[in-house]
Amino acid sequence: MSPKTLYDKIWDAHVAHEAEDGTCLLYIDRHLVHEVTSPQAFEGLRMAGRAVHAPDKTIAVPDHNVPTTAGREDPANMTEDSAIQVAALDKNAKDFGIHYYPVSDVRQGIVHIVGPEQGWTLPGMTVVCGDSHTATHGAFGALAHGIGTSEVEHVLATQTLIQKKSKNMKVEITGKLRPGVTAKDITLSVIGKTGTAGGTGYVIEYCGEAIRDLSMEGRMTVCNMAIEGGARAGLIAPDEKTFAYVQGRPHAPKGAQFEAAMAWWKTLYSDDDAHWDEVITIKGEDIAPVVTWGTSPEDVLPITATVPSADDFEGGKVGAAQRSLDYMGLTPGTPLSEIEIDTVFIGSCTNGRIEDLRAAAEILKGKKVKVKRAMVVPGSGLVRAQAEEEGLADIFKEAGFEWRLAGCSMCLAMNPDQLSEGERCASTSNRNFEGRQGYKGRTHLVSPGMAAAAAITGKLTDVRELM
Amino acid sequence: MDKFETLTGIAAPMPLVNIDTDMIIPKQFLKTIKRSGLGANLFDEMRFDRQGNEVPDFVLNQDAYRNAEILVAGDNFGCGSSREHAPWAIKDFGIRCVISTSFADIFYNNCFKNGILPIALPKEAVDVLMKDAEKGSNARMTIDLETQTVTSSDGEVFAFEVDSFKKHCLIEGLDDIGLTMAKADSIKSFEEQAAQARPWV
Ligand code: SF4
């Protein structure tokens, strides 16, 4: 048999039909659904008189525009249009008989945190969701990618997706990370190197010692942002850490089935002599704690650097850099560590898991915030409960953080959690686009530790100085 | 779905790289449960000020381009979120074709599901078409999907690549779901075989 990559293996195991021109019907094992990108898909099913093909493989949770403050079960406490979308999801889940975690359920949270937490996401699966950060689930060695609403409807109706195979890219992070450097710094540094279109047409497999050394939470952070590098999906081969994470989760296989599953999962790795269309290698020791300075996730620099000038770039990027600098209100040559911050946001499907909250709390312990506003939004109700049990919630609250309920919140600011014009935020989320966190809001993407450090000093800060 | 065969129309130049889906349709307009009506808010934060007045500099606010049916844009158009509201807004505004050097994957797929043709061309070609688009409303480009060509207003012809299946569906205006459902037997036999091989799924 010819050698295969991990992507090749998962792909081959899911092709339900292949046409002569290579267009395939890829069978989908898990379909995750949220309130913003699904209403029109369900409406399409109704209009065509179609059912959901595999309701037991379809899981829905409202997350994008739910408020993260108390009393949100009452639709009167949501804006009218948000309440309509959440009510539509409630109804669609019920009418079509799919698994559902309503806002009142402690298991509710960001769809990409809930899926793995509940054991819906397993190695070797195909996972899709009408959301680009579906890439997150690749941390389990699952082929996971975002789809549009027409494709959501297609998967609901047929449990398949029309796909052509992508190319294979290997991103290897060798050796050890230095202290204070996290999964977020890895994934941002990779995008800084490849650019936001560098991964277009590829599925990326992340490998190397620094990736192996990451926890499952860290691996999810890395894969989460594969989409920011333009890739269709990010993957990490499953190993003992993956199996240990999965075992015992509510929807993971049990007993003999778990053993059988493990036997297959252990075959899920890229063969030594597999073909790669592109290989990128980064030394773990070369990665520093980073921040973004502009309005594209590729605008990444070590915290020790200074704000660049548009002249440092070439081609179309010159204009884009100038536009970013104007939007961000930054002067070239300013040390990044002198940029003052108004708001700190810790949360999102990139960094809203328990390990992220622990990392931030570690820095915040016994300190007070200096920024105007600081907010922690746990990724799920269960992450929140665990953080409370571990005493992390108290650390955040004592430091002056708001301790919120689970949801996407200020990651995309569809709920009331938004930046105001010109407000500058250190955020653990994944997108620093213009207006992403609020009209004319300014976002600097950072790791949870760096976000906590900025909260304490009121400026972008090298977390290593506080460790 | 609407068919796409040929199109001759005004092209609006947007020489900005990395135009993301948050710019194309900001999140406050994602709260709809419909597909229609989003054109009014296409590029909302670039097109209007906070009071809802048009920003005169913005290309689609200029008389020459109000009826543009083609967009010529910088690299990596449509990056960011998977929101299909982006192509819905583009289509609702009246734009049927976007030309760039490259597109983000999900956006690219979403276009075909909505009767929009995204065309990726080499940088030199996009530069020529960008200049052509800058000439305003008298300069009309022609897109021919059957022959896979873009013709500038001065008659310069550029050939583009497009996946044969996607092309077929766009020209015929075919509904993917109907096509896939015709392969129900393949899906069923796959499910039987997968249930044996991976019963835990
Ligand atoms: S947390 Fe942010 S990136 Fe993640 S699913 Fe929600 S909105 Fe999307």
Side-chain angles (χ1 to χ4, degrees), chain A residues 64 110 112 131 133 348-349 408 411-412 430 436:
Chain A
H64 277 61
I110 304 168
H112 309 308
D131 188 282
H133 291 99
S348 87
C349 59
C408 294
C411 174
L412 93 165
N430 45 47
R436 171 78 178 184

Side-chain angles (χ1 to χ4, degrees), chain A residues 8 10 59 104 113 171 178 279 308 317 364 378 396 439 445:
Chain A
D8 298 338
I10 304 174
I59 299 100
S104 56
I113 294 195
V171 172
R178 293 186 184 275
V279 177
K317 192 67 192 167
L364 289 169
F396 284 116
Y439 182 76
L445 302 176

Side-chain angles (χ1 to χ4, degrees), chain A residues 152-207:
Chain A
V152 170
E153 186 179 339
H154 190 278
V155 177
L156 288 171
T158 68
Q159 205 58 25
T160 63
L161 198 60
I162 301 173
Q163 285 277 293
K164 269 204 175 155
K165 206 170 168 202
S166 304
K167 291 179 283 182
N168 280 288
M169 183 190 295
K170 172 157 94 170
V171 172
E172 186 173 16
I173 315 292
T174 59
K176 301 273 179 211
L177 297 178
R178 293 186 184 275
V181 178
T182 68
K184 184 66 165 286
D185 302 300
I186 294 180
T187 202
L188 281 171
S189 298
V190 171
I191 299 160
K193 186 159 173 147
T194 61
T196 47
T200 305
Y202 292 95
V203 164
I204 297 176
E205 180 176 340
Y206 300 94
C207 60

Side-chain angles (χ1 to χ4, degrees), chain B residues 1-199:
Chain B
M1 193 182 72
D2 293 351
K3 294 184 180 184
F4 189 112
E5 291 161 320
T6 58
L7 168 68
T8 297
I10 300 167
M14 279 189 81
L16 195 61
V17 301
N18 295 332
I19 293 179
D20 57 68
T21 53
D22 279 77
M23 286 184 185
I24 298 171
I25 184 84
K27 69 231 149 205
Q28 59 270 33
F29 305 108
L30 308 188
K31 294 194 181 184
T32 172
I33 56 172
K34 302 206 176 66
R35 293 175 202 243
S36 54
L38 289 162
N41 303 104
L42 176 68
F43 294 116
D44 194 84
E45 291 179 359
M46 299 162 93
R47 203 165 132 208
F48 304 106
D49 66 18
R50 241 352 201 180
Q51 286 70 46
N53 304 312
E54 286 189 352
V55 174
D57 289 354
F58 185 69
V59 61
L60 297 179
N61 290 336
Q62 295 166 15
D63 284 339
Y65 298 109
R66 283 186 197 275
N67 296 317
E69 292 176 273
I70 300 163
L71 204 59
V72 185
D75 311 344
N76 196 30
F77 189 86
C79 57
S81 128
S82 67
R83 61 187 68 161
E84 200 161 316
H85 309 68
W88 293 337
I90 288 174
K91 174 85 176 299
D92 194 54
F93 180 88
I95 291 170
R96 296 288 312 276
C97 173
V98 185
I99 299 172
S100 173
T101 56
S102 61
F103 292 87
D105 197 43
I106 303 175
F107 176 83
Y108 187 79
N109 280 325
N110 282 343
C111 283
F112 286 95
K113 315 278 181 196
N114 292 284
I116 301 170
L117 175 63
I119 299 178
L121 284 171
K123 180 144 188 353
E124 304 73 51
V126 174
D127 286 348
V128 171
L129 294 171
M130 189 71 77
K131 285 248 149 39
D132 196 37
E134 282 163 4
K135 292 180 194 159
S137 56
N138 293 326
R140 286 170 186 254
M141 274 178 212
T142 297
I143 317 289
D144 187 331
L145 178 52
E146 183 56 50
T147 60
Q148 299 183 206
T149 53
V150 182
T151 308
S152 74
S153 65
D154 338 305
E156 204 171 339
V157 180
F158 300 94
F160 62 86
E161 298 286 320
V162 60
D163 175 82
S164 55
F165 176 72
K166 289 192 167 86
K167 174 178 171 178
H168 172 67
C169 291
L170 206 51
I171 287 183
E172 301 294 332
L174 293 176
D175 160 32
D176 282 353
I177 298 180
L179 287 177
T180 298
M181 284 188 139
K183 304 198 181 83
D185 288 349
S186 303
I187 297 174
K188 189 151 179 286
S189 67
F190 177 88
E191 282 178 324
E192 284 163 6
Q193 166 238 314
Q196 292 281 320
R198 298 187 295 278

Side-chain angles (χ1 to χ4, degrees), chain A residues 34 63-65 110-113 129 131-134 136 224 228 345 347-351 407-414 429-431 436, chain B residues 81 83:
Chain A
H34 66 79
D63 56 1
H64 277 61
N65 57 23
I110 304 168
V111 63
H112 309 308
I113 294 195
C129 175
D131 188 282
S132 55
H133 291 99
T134 311
T136 313
N224 175 274
E228 263 65 56
F345 170 70
S348 87
C349 59
T350 315
N351 285 126
C408 294
S409 178
M410 205 189 268
C411 174
L412 93 165
M414 269 188 83
S429 58
N430 45 47
R431 289 195 173 132
R436 171 78 178 184
Chain B
S81 128
R83 61 187 68 161

Side-chain angles (χ1 to χ4, degrees), chain A residues 359-386:
Chain A
E362 181 68 31
I363 303 292
L364 289 169
K365 215 172 202 164
K367 308 258 176 46
K368 293 274 183 233
V369 306
K370 250 196 194 160
V371 289
K372 295 189 198 102
R373 178 153 71 133
M375 190 190 292
V376 190
V377 182
S380 72
L382 292 176
V383 168
R384 186 173 196 268
Q386 187 173 348

